[in-house]
Amino acid sequence: FGPAVGQTVIRGQQGRRVMNLNNSIANADASGNSADHSVAVEAILANAIEVLRGPSTLLYGGGAIGGVVNVIDNRIPRNLPDSPLFILETRHDTAADQTNSIGRLEFATGNLAWHLDGLRRDWNNLDIPDLAIASDYLDDDEENTTGYIRNTAGKSEAATIGVSWLFDNGFLGVAINQMENFYGLPPGAHGHEEDQHGHEEDQTEDSDESVFIDMDRTRYDLTGEWRNLTPWLEHVDYRLTMSEYQHVELEGVEFGTRFSNDAWQQRLQLTHTEIGNWHGVIGLQSSDEEFGAVGEESFIPVTDITSRGLFLVEDYHGTNYTLELGARINSDDYNPVNGIAPDRDFSTFSASASLLLDLASSTTLGLTWSLSERAPSVEELYSNFNLTDSNTCVIHFATGACETGDVNLVEEQANNIDLTLYFETGNFNASITAFYNAFDDYIGQITTGAEIQDLPVRAYRQLDARFSGLEVDTTFIVNNFVELQVFGDMVNGHLNDNGDAPRLPPSRLGARLNVIGDNW
């Protein structure tokens, strides 16, 4: 779907099975709805990025079967800076003639800490060595491009202002972030030589039928943190976020689908002091969303979504081992507006356990087991709910398909086991992980073989699935200044009776040389 769309994939899982967070609150965007939708977060402005698997994922959602990616920035400062900090950065890459310009300013006035940042990104069509589309897939090579991929240009802008009031045992802060993102989808993404009205599509450079996505998101954050309130309460963390998201899919100048997601989200997390070597958190999380697709090309009804979650994660530190346990219960209610589709409600339970065992001073064995349940999503339930014949199917022209849901879907369940061995000897260390994930009632978008208006029909269906893989990371320390890393990973995914899982990452093998000396 072009260089503007980079969705997280963890061990073959993506979309709704991987949670993308910004400061521990989910991005209430439409990226989980379809693979052509970008994630509404700017990682280039991050202070840190956490990637979580195992029991810790239950802090944020039981449906995070693949894992959690938490992008952490400083939009709500947690400390008073000693002196003003100003950062200016620019990047340029020649392949897409892309320029990133970033500015950030942080300073204090009394007990108030301030944060300002801004981003602008512009890029053109992506340069490539040869043909954009293999000739075998086109009847007429005049529709092709040589040396670049058509309709992959775009631009992004973002700005944030935040302020915190800091006191002896905590802080309270607010922030506002505005983000705009406009990008094109290459012809192969929605690859149809005819559009949904049946006339020939002009695929020349000046085509009026190119598909663009015009995204706009405003997010308001309030965060409070209090420390050492009572002898048994170590930490209290409260977050409240309101976001207004929408994007419009345009085919040339023609208005297509408008996705919107207005959401209120909040979470309260209590961390208790150590009790008999046990240390952990208990918390509540809730969200209220109105999500759907509206307009002439809408295929998902506007739906009120209410989600409530209760979670507990505890860890125990023994002499030569660490045990971590987690559990979460969730309720999810879907209520399509005006009763145009039936209401659905789901109750899910997820649990996880991990053991980290020191076999020797230089060898550690890790074992993780998790049971995760995920409720079906809006698009999986209600896409083209009223489909009765080819004339009533609303085409999602960004993907060039008639996508149909199933209102009778049930909860998806995954059993996952990980085994990790870490060891070091002399100047060498290595980490080797093997994993296996067995799904019952896995929800996948399956190509049915049918066509409507010369476009494929893809239906959400449930079937069992199996994923397995291997990850290796090794480091050789040459001397005090040089170290060599060699790493690799592979994942296999199979949908029972339906072949390989879609969009699996390729196997990788890589090396990295790190050189450190003096101030460099």
Side-chain angles (χ1 to χ4, degrees), residues 206-501:
D206 298 323
S207 170
D208 290 333
E209 305 299 336
S210 297
V211 174
F212 299 90
I213 290 184
D214 189 0
M215 187 206 84
D216 182 270
R217 199 281 306 272
T218 304
R219 172 167 160 158
Y220 307 87
D221 285 278
L222 181 148
T223 298
E225 182 181 290
W226 298 267
R227 296 181 292 271
N228 303 317
L229 290 181
T230 70
W232 59 270
L233 193 56
E234 180 180 290
H235 189 271
V236 176
D237 189 298
Y238 176 75
R239 299 170 188 265
L240 173 67
T241 295
M242 194 272 277
S243 56
E244 299 170 331
Y245 171 94
Q246 72 168 13
H247 81 247
V248 178
E249 297 184 353
L250 303 167
E251 188 164 12
V253 297
E254 180 183 340
F255 177 89
T257 311
R258 180 170 70 87
F259 288 87
S260 66
N261 192 358
D262 295 336
W264 286 87
Q265 300 180 83
Q266 58 181 334
R267 58 181 289 117
L268 176 65
Q269 184 171 304
L270 309 177
T271 304
H272 67 78
T273 55
E274 189 170 298
I275 303 173
N277 289 340
W278 285 98
H279 182 266
V281 300
I282 185 171
L284 295 165
Q285 184 173 344
S286 72
S287 68
D288 295 273
E289 303 178 51
E290 185 180 79
F291 177 83
V294 298
E296 184 179 343
E297 304 291 345
S298 62
F299 60 95
I300 300 174
V302 176
T303 304
D304 291 328
I305 308 169
T306 303
S307 179
R308 304 286 183 264
L310 171 65
F311 57 86
L312 174 68
V313 176
E314 295 282 334
D315 55 80
Y316 180 88
H317 298 273
T319 305
N320 65 331
Y321 67 92
T322 299
L323 176 65
E324 189 174 23
L325 304 173
R328 183 183 180 102
I329 55 174
N330 244 78
S331 67
D332 299 277
D333 298 329
Y334 299 90
N335 306 107
V337 298
N338 302 322
I340 61 176
D343 296 346
R344 290 296 311 272
D345 60 84
F346 302 90
S347 296
T348 55
F349 173 76
S350 299
S352 186
S354 69
L355 175 65
L356 198 62
L357 181 62
D358 294 328
L359 300 178
S361 59
S362 60
T363 305
T364 303
L365 180 68
L367 179 64
T368 300
W369 166 85
S370 63
L371 166 69
S372 300
E373 291 185 337
R374 183 182 73 89
S377 61
V378 171
E379 66 276 1
E380 293 166 344
L381 291 169
Y382 299 126
S383 293
N384 274 298
F385 170 73
N386 290 320
L387 179 63
T388 57
D389 56 51
S390 60
N391 295 321
T392 61
C393 184
V394 178
I395 301 299
H396 185 194
F397 60 64
T399 58
C402 169
E403 300 174 359
T404 63
D406 184 351
V407 75
N408 296 310
L409 295 177
V410 299
E411 296 88 347
E412 179 181 273
Q413 187 179 94
N415 276 280
N416 184 76
I417 188 166
D418 289 22
L419 183 64
T420 299
L421 179 65
Y422 173 82
F423 63 92
E424 58 183 59
T425 173
N427 292 335
F428 177 79
N429 63 69
S431 176
I432 304 171
T433 299
F435 63 90
Y436 179 77
N437 200 343
F439 281 87
D440 294 328
D441 296 317
Y442 180 93
I443 302 173
Q445 196 181 70
I446 307 300
T447 300
T448 64
E451 289 190 350
I452 290 180
Q453 303 168 32
D454 296 325
L455 296 173
V457 176
R458 299 186 183 129
Y460 288 102
R461 296 288 184 263
Q462 291 195 287
L463 61 170
D464 294 341
R466 301 291 182 267
F467 292 81
S468 60
L470 186 68
E471 301 163 347
V472 178
D473 195 349
T474 65
T475 301
F476 177 68
I477 301 173
V478 180
N479 52 44
N480 292 335
F481 307 103
V482 180
E483 69 176 22
L484 173 66
Q485 292 179 286
V486 178
F487 54 89
D489 58 72
M490 59 180 296
V491 58
N492 294 309
H494 186 78
L495 307 181
N496 289 11
D497 302 321
N498 212 78
D500 292 330

Side-chain angles (χ1 to χ4, degrees), residues 3 112 129 135 142 152 169 193-194 237-238 263 273 369 402 508:
L112 297 179
S135 299
E142 291 182 1
T152 52
N169 63 335
E193 316 322 327
E194 296 180 350
D237 189 298
Y238 176 75
T273 55
W369 166 85
C402 169
R508 300 187 306 165

Side-chain angles (χ1 to χ4, degrees), residues 159-189:
T160 307
I161 180 171
V163 59
S164 293
W165 171 50
L166 288 98
F167 41 89
D168 290 341
N169 63 335
F171 72 90
L172 183 65
V174 294
I176 302 174
N177 170 265
Q178 173 69 31
M179 180 184 298
E180 297 178 359
N181 194 6
F182 182 88
Y183 59 93
L185 297 178

